[in-house]
Amino acid sequence: MTVNTKFSLKGPCRDSYLKLVTAFPLASIKSDEQFQEARKVMDRLLAQGELKVGEEMYLDALSDLITA
């Protein structure tokens, strides 16, 4: 399914975001195991310090899922 929006990622931003989504997809967290894995991913990103734009967007979405 393709959805046309005004919001899109291009170039390196898209690449860094998709790399993270491929490694740990953004989806509802339904178990303690998924929660723990999500926290590990979040902690690794936070430990990096300065993030690329795509990484920041991924981290924002992941933190929303963890909070929910």
Side-chain angles (χ1 to χ4, degrees):
M1 177 172 95
T2 303
V3 177
N4 293 324
T5 66
K6 292 182 182 182
F7 174 78
S8 67
L9 290 172
K10 297 181 182 182
C13 295
R14 183 176 190 264
D15 295 342
S16 62
Y17 179 83
L18 290 178
K19 182 179 177 183
L20 290 165
V21 169
T22 301
F24 190 85
L26 295 172
S28 296
I29 298 171
K30 299 193 183 278
S31 70
D32 189 53
E33 181 180 344
Q34 289 175 339
F35 177 81
Q36 295 304 324
E37 288 301 313
R39 286 297 311 228
K40 287 179 190 177
V41 172
M42 188 171 84
D43 290 344
R44 281 194 299 264
L45 285 169
L46 291 171
Q48 286 183 27
E50 192 170 330
L51 299 174
K52 298 174 187 172
V53 172
E55 293 170 329
E56 286 181 16
M57 291 177 67
Y58 178 89
L59 180 59
D60 287 344
L62 182 60
S63 65
D64 289 345
L65 290 169
I66 288 171
T67 301

